[in-house]
Amino acid sequence: MIDNKRILTILRTHRLSQTALGKMFKLSHSKMSKVMAGEQTLPANAVGTLIQEFDIHPKWLFGFIGDPDEVMYLKDLVSKAELEKRDKEIQELRYELGEAYKQLAEERKGK
C-alpha cells in the first residue's frame, strides 16, 4: 500500500492539486478524497500512471526506500558500474590523503 504522505509529497513537489491528480488518474473527486484519507487504495492503473508520468521510483512510492518527504525518481538511480567507479576514486583519494599526512608528519619531525 502506498503511504498517503508520499502522494502528498508528489503533489507538493509537482505543484499539483488533489483534484488535478484525480483527473490524471480518471478518479472521481470522492474516490480521490478517500484515497488521500487512507480509506481506499489507489487502483493499479493509477499507480502505474504515477510511476510512468512522473518517473517515480516504485520502491520509494511503496515506502521501501528513501525519505517520504523527498520524491525519489528513477533517474536518481546509479548503476553498479558507476558505484564501483566512484568507490575506486574514493579509495584513491583516501590513499593520496594518507600519503599527504605522512609527508606532513615527516616535515614536522624535521623541524
Side-chain angles (χ1 to χ4, degrees), residues 18-42:
Q18 181 178 315
T19 303
L21 195 60
K23 285 180 183 177
M24 181 183 286
F25 297 151
K26 297 179 175 96
L27 297 177
S28 69
H29 179 73
S30 79
K31 171 74 175 175
M32 195 62 199
S33 293
K34 288 177 182 177
V35 166
M36 296 308 294
E39 297 168 8
Q40 292 186 4
T41 59
L42 275 177

PDB file of all heavy atoms in Angstrom, residues 18-42:
ATOM      1  N   GLN A  18      -4.973  17.937  -5.445  1.00  0.00           N
ATOM      2  CA  GLN A  18      -5.548  16.598  -5.330  1.00  0.00           C
ATOM      3  C   GLN A  18      -6.527  16.356  -6.483  1.00  0.00           C
ATOM      4  O   GLN A  18      -6.567  15.274  -7.056  1.00  0.00           O
ATOM      5  CB  GLN A  18      -6.264  16.497  -3.983  1.00  0.00           C
ATOM      6  CG  GLN A  18      -6.902  15.181  -3.697  1.00  0.00           C
ATOM      7  CD  GLN A  18      -7.530  15.180  -2.320  1.00  0.00           C
ATOM      8  OE1 GLN A  18      -6.917  15.632  -1.363  1.00  0.00           O
ATOM      9  NE2 GLN A  18      -8.736  14.681  -2.218  1.00  0.00           N
ATOM     10  N   THR A  19      -7.265  17.388  -6.857  1.00  0.00           N
ATOM     11  CA  THR A  19      -8.231  17.286  -7.951  1.00  0.00           C
ATOM     12  C   THR A  19      -7.526  17.019  -9.282  1.00  0.00           C
ATOM     13  O   THR A  19      -7.954  16.171 -10.063  1.00  0.00           O
ATOM     14  CB  THR A  19      -9.070  18.577  -8.041  1.00  0.00           C
ATOM     15  OG1 THR A  19      -9.707  18.796  -6.784  1.00  0.00           O
ATOM     16  CG2 THR A  19     -10.098  18.499  -9.142  1.00  0.00           C
ATOM     17  N   ALA A  20      -6.428  17.741  -9.523  1.00  0.00           N
ATOM     18  CA  ALA A  20      -5.684  17.552 -10.772  1.00  0.00           C
ATOM     19  C   ALA A  20      -5.127  16.136 -10.865  1.00  0.00           C
ATOM     20  O   ALA A  20      -5.174  15.506 -11.926  1.00  0.00           O
ATOM     21  CB  ALA A  20      -4.556  18.570 -10.879  1.00  0.00           C
ATOM     22  N   LEU A  21      -4.617  15.630  -9.745  1.00  0.00           N
ATOM     23  CA  LEU A  21      -4.090  14.269  -9.741  1.00  0.00           C
ATOM     24  C   LEU A  21      -5.222  13.268  -9.972  1.00  0.00           C
ATOM     25  O   LEU A  21      -5.056  12.310 -10.720  1.00  0.00           O
ATOM     26  CB  LEU A  21      -3.360  13.980  -8.427  1.00  0.00           C
ATOM     27  CG  LEU A  21      -2.461  12.756  -8.412  1.00  0.00           C
ATOM     28  CD1 LEU A  21      -1.351  12.862  -9.450  1.00  0.00           C
ATOM     29  CD2 LEU A  21      -1.853  12.544  -7.032  1.00  0.00           C
ATOM     30  N   GLY A  22      -6.351  13.501  -9.347  1.00  0.00           N
ATOM     31  CA  GLY A  22      -7.513  12.640  -9.552  1.00  0.00           C
ATOM     32  C   GLY A  22      -7.933  12.604 -11.012  1.00  0.00           C
ATOM     33  O   GLY A  22      -8.257  11.541 -11.554  1.00  0.00           O
ATOM     34  N   LYS A  23      -7.910  13.758 -11.660  1.00  0.00           N
ATOM     35  CA  LYS A  23      -8.262  13.815 -13.091  1.00  0.00           C
ATOM     36  C   LYS A  23      -7.251  13.036 -13.924  1.00  0.00           C
ATOM     37  O   LYS A  23      -7.613  12.346 -14.869  1.00  0.00           O
ATOM     38  CB  LYS A  23      -8.333  15.265 -13.568  1.00  0.00           C
ATOM     39  CG  LYS A  23      -9.569  15.988 -13.108  1.00  0.00           C
ATOM     40  CD  LYS A  23      -9.592  17.420 -13.610  1.00  0.00           C
ATOM     41  CE  LYS A  23     -10.816  18.147 -13.071  1.00  0.00           C
ATOM     42  NZ  LYS A  23     -10.845  19.559 -13.476  1.00  0.00           N
ATOM     43  N   MET A  24      -5.985  13.141 -13.563  1.00  0.00           N
ATOM     44  CA  MET A  24      -4.950  12.405 -14.284  1.00  0.00           C
ATOM     45  C   MET A  24      -5.196  10.901 -14.176  1.00  0.00           C
ATOM     46  O   MET A  24      -4.978  10.163 -15.126  1.00  0.00           O
ATOM     47  CB  MET A  24      -3.570  12.750 -13.701  1.00  0.00           C
ATOM     48  CG  MET A  24      -2.420  12.049 -14.388  1.00  0.00           C
ATOM     49  SD  MET A  24      -0.845  12.433 -13.612  1.00  0.00           S
ATOM     50  CE  MET A  24      -0.608  14.106 -14.178  1.00  0.00           C
ATOM     51  N   PHE A  25      -5.675  10.473 -13.019  1.00  0.00           N
ATOM     52  CA  PHE A  25      -5.944   9.057 -12.778  1.00  0.00           C
ATOM     53  C   PHE A  25      -7.326   8.636 -13.253  1.00  0.00           C
ATOM     54  O   PHE A  25      -7.684   7.465 -13.193  1.00  0.00           O
ATOM     55  CB  PHE A  25      -5.852   8.728 -11.286  1.00  0.00           C
ATOM     56  CG  PHE A  25      -4.519   8.937 -10.672  1.00  0.00           C
ATOM     57  CD1 PHE A  25      -4.416   9.258  -9.329  1.00  0.00           C
ATOM     58  CD2 PHE A  25      -3.349   8.817 -11.404  1.00  0.00           C
ATOM     59  CE1 PHE A  25      -3.188   9.432  -8.725  1.00  0.00           C
ATOM     60  CE2 PHE A  25      -2.110   9.001 -10.809  1.00  0.00           C
ATOM     61  CZ  PHE A  25      -2.033   9.316  -9.466  1.00  0.00           C
ATOM     62  N   LYS A  26      -8.126   9.623 -13.680  1.00  0.00           N
ATOM     63  CA  LYS A  26      -9.523   9.382 -14.071  1.00  0.00           C
ATOM     64  C   LYS A  26     -10.323   8.843 -12.885  1.00  0.00           C
ATOM     65  O   LYS A  26     -11.120   7.916 -13.011  1.00  0.00           O
ATOM     66  CB  LYS A  26      -9.608   8.448 -15.276  1.00  0.00           C
ATOM     67  CG  LYS A  26      -8.953   9.035 -16.516  1.00  0.00           C
ATOM     68  CD  LYS A  26      -9.027   8.095 -17.694  1.00  0.00           C
ATOM     69  CE  LYS A  26      -8.476   8.766 -18.907  1.00  0.00           C
ATOM     70  NZ  LYS A  26      -7.128   8.508 -19.219  1.00  0.00           N
ATOM     71  N   LEU A  27     -10.085   9.463 -11.710  1.00  0.00           N
ATOM     72  CA  LEU A  27     -10.802   9.100 -10.495  1.00  0.00           C
ATOM     73  C   LEU A  27     -11.729  10.248 -10.107  1.00  0.00           C
ATOM     74  O   LEU A  27     -11.382  11.416 -10.269  1.00  0.00           O
ATOM     75  CB  LEU A  27      -9.833   8.840  -9.336  1.00  0.00           C
ATOM     76  CG  LEU A  27      -8.853   7.690  -9.486  1.00  0.00           C
ATOM     77  CD1 LEU A  27      -7.919   7.637  -8.279  1.00  0.00           C
ATOM     78  CD2 LEU A  27      -9.586   6.372  -9.638  1.00  0.00           C
ATOM     79  N   SER A  28     -12.870   9.903  -9.564  1.00  0.00           N
ATOM     80  CA  SER A  28     -13.799  10.929  -9.101  1.00  0.00           C
ATOM     81  C   SER A  28     -13.197  11.664  -7.909  1.00  0.00           C
ATOM     82  O   SER A  28     -12.283  11.168  -7.246  1.00  0.00           O
ATOM     83  CB  SER A  28     -15.128  10.290  -8.695  1.00  0.00           C
ATOM     84  OG  SER A  28     -14.947   9.511  -7.513  1.00  0.00           O
ATOM     85  N   HIS A  29     -13.766  12.823  -7.640  1.00  0.00           N
ATOM     86  CA  HIS A  29     -13.291  13.619  -6.501  1.00  0.00           C
ATOM     87  C   HIS A  29     -13.453  12.832  -5.197  1.00  0.00           C
ATOM     88  O   HIS A  29     -12.554  12.832  -4.354  1.00  0.00           O
ATOM     89  CB  HIS A  29     -14.048  14.953  -6.427  1.00  0.00           C
ATOM     90  CG  HIS A  29     -13.644  15.803  -5.272  1.00  0.00           C
ATOM     91  ND1 HIS A  29     -12.441  16.464  -5.238  1.00  0.00           N
ATOM     92  CD2 HIS A  29     -14.265  16.064  -4.096  1.00  0.00           C
ATOM     93  CE1 HIS A  29     -12.334  17.117  -4.085  1.00  0.00           C
ATOM     94  NE2 HIS A  29     -13.442  16.891  -3.379  1.00  0.00           N
ATOM     95  N   SER A  30     -14.594  12.154  -5.060  1.00  0.00           N
ATOM     96  CA  SER A  30     -14.826  11.413  -3.807  1.00  0.00           C
ATOM     97  C   SER A  30     -13.860  10.234  -3.674  1.00  0.00           C
ATOM     98  O   SER A  30     -13.360   9.959  -2.592  1.00  0.00           O
ATOM     99  CB  SER A  30     -16.281  10.953  -3.693  1.00  0.00           C
ATOM    100  OG  SER A  30     -16.529   9.810  -4.453  1.00  0.00           O
ATOM    101  N   LYS A  31     -13.580   9.530  -4.766  1.00  0.00           N
ATOM    102  CA  LYS A  31     -12.637   8.414  -4.725  1.00  0.00           C
ATOM    103  C   LYS A  31     -11.250   8.928  -4.354  1.00  0.00           C
ATOM    104  O   LYS A  31     -10.563   8.346  -3.513  1.00  0.00           O
ATOM    105  CB  LYS A  31     -12.597   7.694  -6.077  1.00  0.00           C
ATOM    106  CG  LYS A  31     -11.502   6.653  -6.243  1.00  0.00           C
ATOM    107  CD  LYS A  31     -11.756   5.391  -5.482  1.00  0.00           C
ATOM    108  CE  LYS A  31     -10.677   4.360  -5.805  1.00  0.00           C
ATOM    109  NZ  LYS A  31     -10.789   3.159  -5.019  1.00  0.00           N
ATOM    110  N   MET A  32     -10.822  10.033  -4.950  1.00  0.00           N
ATOM    111  CA  MET A  32      -9.509  10.591  -4.657  1.00  0.00           C
ATOM    112  C   MET A  32      -9.445  11.062  -3.206  1.00  0.00           C
ATOM    113  O   MET A  32      -8.427  10.871  -2.532  1.00  0.00           O
ATOM    114  CB  MET A  32      -9.208  11.740  -5.624  1.00  0.00           C
ATOM    115  CG  MET A  32      -7.777  12.162  -5.651  1.00  0.00           C
ATOM    116  SD  MET A  32      -6.692  10.827  -6.197  1.00  0.00           S
ATOM    117  CE  MET A  32      -5.145  11.426  -5.565  1.00  0.00           C
ATOM    118  N   SER A  33     -10.516  11.630  -2.698  1.00  0.00           N
ATOM    119  CA  SER A  33     -10.558  12.050  -1.298  1.00  0.00           C
ATOM    120  C   SER A  33     -10.406  10.855  -0.364  1.00  0.00           C
ATOM    121  O   SER A  33      -9.702  10.928   0.644  1.00  0.00           O
ATOM    122  CB  SER A  33     -11.864  12.771  -0.988  1.00  0.00           C
ATOM    123  OG  SER A  33     -11.918  13.985  -1.670  1.00  0.00           O
ATOM    124  N   LYS A  34     -11.060   9.753  -0.704  1.00  0.00           N
ATOM    125  CA  LYS A  34     -10.962   8.542   0.115  1.00  0.00           C
ATOM    126  C   LYS A  34      -9.547   7.966   0.066  1.00  0.00           C
ATOM    127  O   LYS A  34      -9.037   7.473   1.068  1.00  0.00           O
ATOM    128  CB  LYS A  34     -11.980   7.501  -0.337  1.00  0.00           C
ATOM    129  CG  LYS A  34     -13.399   7.879   0.032  1.00  0.00           C
ATOM    130  CD  LYS A  34     -14.400   6.870  -0.480  1.00  0.00           C
ATOM    131  CE  LYS A  34     -15.809   7.330  -0.125  1.00  0.00           C
ATOM    132  NZ  LYS A  34     -16.821   6.417  -0.653  1.00  0.00           N
ATOM    133  N   VAL A  35      -8.919   8.042  -1.083  1.00  0.00           N
ATOM    134  CA  VAL A  35      -7.532   7.579  -1.209  1.00  0.00           C
ATOM    135  C   VAL A  35      -6.640   8.429  -0.316  1.00  0.00           C
ATOM    136  O   VAL A  35      -5.817   7.911   0.445  1.00  0.00           O
ATOM    137  CB  VAL A  35      -7.053   7.624  -2.684  1.00  0.00           C
ATOM    138  CG1 VAL A  35      -5.545   7.475  -2.771  1.00  0.00           C
ATOM    139  CG2 VAL A  35      -7.756   6.558  -3.504  1.00  0.00           C
ATOM    140  N   MET A  36      -6.814   9.746  -0.382  1.00  0.00           N
ATOM    141  CA  MET A  36      -5.964  10.645   0.394  1.00  0.00           C
ATOM    142  C   MET A  36      -6.229  10.514   1.892  1.00  0.00           C
ATOM    143  O   MET A  36      -5.342  10.738   2.699  1.00  0.00           O
ATOM    144  CB  MET A  36      -6.165  12.096  -0.053  1.00  0.00           C
ATOM    145  CG  MET A  36      -5.734  12.352  -1.492  1.00  0.00           C
ATOM    146  SD  MET A  36      -4.066  11.802  -1.886  1.00  0.00           S
ATOM    147  CE  MET A  36      -3.097  12.890  -0.881  1.00  0.00           C
ATOM    148  N   ALA A  37      -7.443  10.114   2.256  1.00  0.00           N
ATOM    149  CA  ALA A  37      -7.780   9.922   3.669  1.00  0.00           C
ATOM    150  C   ALA A  37      -7.333   8.553   4.173  1.00  0.00           C
ATOM    151  O   ALA A  37      -7.435   8.262   5.362  1.00  0.00           O
ATOM    152  CB  ALA A  37      -9.280  10.086   3.870  1.00  0.00           C
ATOM    153  N   GLY A  38      -6.851   7.715   3.270  1.00  0.00           N
ATOM    154  CA  GLY A  38      -6.401   6.387   3.661  1.00  0.00           C
ATOM    155  C   GLY A  38      -7.522   5.372   3.767  1.00  0.00           C
ATOM    156  O   GLY A  38      -7.324   4.263   4.253  1.00  0.00           O
ATOM    157  N   GLU A  39      -8.697   5.739   3.302  1.00  0.00           N
ATOM    158  CA  GLU A  39      -9.851   4.841   3.367  1.00  0.00           C
ATOM    159  C   GLU A  39      -9.869   3.852   2.201  1.00  0.00           C
ATOM    160  O   GLU A  39     -10.496   2.804   2.296  1.00  0.00           O
ATOM    161  CB  GLU A  39     -11.152   5.650   3.376  1.00  0.00           C
ATOM    162  CG  GLU A  39     -11.279   6.547   4.597  1.00  0.00           C
ATOM    163  CD  GLU A  39     -12.409   7.545   4.482  1.00  0.00           C
ATOM    164  OE1 GLU A  39     -13.211   7.468   3.524  1.00  0.00           O
ATOM    165  OE2 GLU A  39     -12.486   8.436   5.356  1.00  0.00           O
ATOM    166  N   GLN A  40      -9.233   4.220   1.109  1.00  0.00           N
ATOM    167  CA  GLN A  40      -9.139   3.351  -0.061  1.00  0.00           C
ATOM    168  C   GLN A  40      -7.725   3.436  -0.622  1.00  0.00           C
ATOM    169  O   GLN A  40      -6.991   4.371  -0.328  1.00  0.00           O
ATOM    170  CB  GLN A  40     -10.157   3.763  -1.141  1.00  0.00           C
ATOM    171  CG  GLN A  40     -11.584   3.521  -0.742  1.00  0.00           C
ATOM    172  CD  GLN A  40     -12.549   3.812  -1.880  1.00  0.00           C
ATOM    173  OE1 GLN A  40     -12.158   4.121  -2.996  1.00  0.00           O
ATOM    174  NE2 GLN A  40     -13.838   3.717  -1.593  1.00  0.00           N
ATOM    175  N   THR A  41      -7.368   2.463  -1.437  1.00  0.00           N
ATOM    176  CA  THR A  41      -6.046   2.470  -2.065  1.00  0.00           C
ATOM    177  C   THR A  41      -6.168   2.927  -3.511  1.00  0.00           C
ATOM    178  O   THR A  41      -7.247   2.867  -4.107  1.00  0.00           O
ATOM    179  CB  THR A  41      -5.407   1.072  -2.025  1.00  0.00           C
ATOM    180  OG1 THR A  41      -6.263   0.161  -2.718  1.00  0.00           O
ATOM    181  CG2 THR A  41      -5.192   0.600  -0.607  1.00  0.00           C
ATOM    182  N   LEU A  42      -5.054   3.367  -4.040  1.00  0.00           N
ATOM    183  CA  LEU A  42      -5.026   3.747  -5.456  1.00  0.00           C
ATOM    184  C   LEU A  42      -5.191   2.506  -6.319  1.00  0.00           C
ATOM    185  O   LEU A  42      -4.554   1.484  -6.044  1.00  0.00           O
ATOM    186  CB  LEU A  42      -3.693   4.399  -5.811  1.00  0.00           C
ATOM    187  CG  LEU A  42      -3.516   5.874  -5.567  1.00  0.00           C
ATOM    188  CD1 LEU A  42      -2.100   6.294  -5.920  1.00  0.00           C
ATOM    189  CD2 LEU A  42      -4.505   6.699  -6.336  1.00  0.00           C
TER     190      LEU A  42
END
